[in-house]
Amino acid sequence: MSPPGALPPGLRHHPGRLDAAAQGALLAEIRAATAEAPLYRPAMPGTGRPFSVRMTNCGSLGWVADKAGYRYQPFHPETGRPWPAIPAMLLDLWRELADHPHAPEACLVNFYEPTARMGLHQDKDEDDLAAPVLSVSLGDEALFRFGGTTRGGPTRSLRLSSGDVLVLGGASRLVFHGVDRIYPGTSTLLKGEGRINLTLRRVTRP
Ligand code: MD3
Ligand code: FE
């Protein structure tokens, strides 16, 4: 899975940080949010090739991708409505684990079917790169891969399970990372197969 040794500075893994009850409560909040702001399939800028991951957001700003580019905007690209609020449980988790004085503005919701992937990329569409990104995994396990801050260097993998939380800040904020595969049938949290990942981010400089 991952070679022995400490994780890089700024990357914190909290395995099983949310117990089954907390995962269920959070999932109910996310289902309510996706009822207001449905999952949609973003497209690659330029080519318009569809993502294998479906997405939506909560918060005052949401990350979107379409033929025109990647950006944060305050409304859903298909309904035109504002994103629903970030669930209070997630704001609490940020206060506990992010070690950052300003609240997150965006919660990107990624839904992976068993065949969905996310290629190696950096998250750098945020103006505030001093704030960490906090990620929560729900549902089937995933093979998460990360490297360094330049493309093409060595990478390591971590298997993420439902209830795990990752915090990526400091020297890890700009590492290349992606999701190589989903392991269907490894969780009973969702009704069917698949994985949900939530990422909390600060977008603007306070
Ligand atoms: C490392 N999501 O939405 S979460 C993304 O599992 C994204 O859905 C993946 O990469 C997923 O952009 C990985 C873990 C994660 C999130 C943000 C990061 C790792 C990160 C930002 C910087 C470095
Ligand atoms: Fe990312």
Side-chain angles (χ1 to χ4, degrees):
M1 216 64 327
S2 190
L7 292 171
L11 195 164
R12 293 255 136 65
H13 183 202
H14 303 268
R17 178 64 184 69
L18 301 182
D19 64 16
Q23 292 170 43
L26 180 54
L27 180 62
E29 301 268 23
I30 297 305
R31 281 198 208 294
T34 59
E36 272 186 69
L39 289 164
Y40 75 101
R41 196 176 294 282
M44 290 294 292
T47 64
R49 185 168 192 264
F51 281 39
S52 62
V53 178
R54 287 186 295 150
M55 299 182 173
T56 189
N57 291 268
C58 301
S60 55
L61 290 169
W63 187 86
V64 300
D66 61 20
K67 283 198 84 159
Y70 302 126
R71 63 190 175 277
Y72 282 91
Q73 66 180 39
F75 54 88
H76 190 290
E78 291 182 352
T79 69
R81 293 164 60 198
W83 306 107
I86 299 176
M89 296 180 57
L90 289 174
L91 297 176
D92 290 344
L93 203 58
W94 175 275
R95 274 190 290 269
E96 275 183 58
L97 299 180
D99 191 25
H100 188 76
H102 304 287
E105 295 166 296
C107 175
L108 175 62
V109 179
N110 293 331
F111 178 73
Y112 294 79
E113 295 170 41
T115 56
R117 308 277 180 268
M118 190 177 287
L120 281 179
H121 65 277
Q122 286 175 302
D123 290 14
K124 50 181 187 188
D125 296 324
E126 299 77 24
D127 289 329
D128 188 356
L129 293 172
V133 175
L134 185 154
S135 131
V136 181
S137 294
L138 294 174
D140 283 333
E141 293 173 14
L143 191 61
F144 171 72
R145 187 146 63 106
F146 63 93
T149 55
T150 55
R151 192 181 279 284
T155 62
R156 296 172 56 180
S157 295
L158 268 185
R159 193 159 163 150
L160 297 178
S161 300
S162 195
D164 286 10
V165 176
L166 275 183
V167 182
L168 298 118
S172 288
R173 179 62 181 77
L174 287 174
V175 299
F176 279 86
H177 61 278
V179 175
D180 286 338
R181 66 162 296 187
I182 304 298
Y183 298 93
T186 52
S187 166
T188 55
L189 181 70
L190 308 187
K191 282 188 195 112
E193 294 174 335
R195 169 176 185 260
I196 296 171
N197 183 263
L198 310 171
T199 48
L200 294 175
R201 301 133 188 274
R202 177 87 206 170
V203 180
T204 65
R205 278 190 287 258

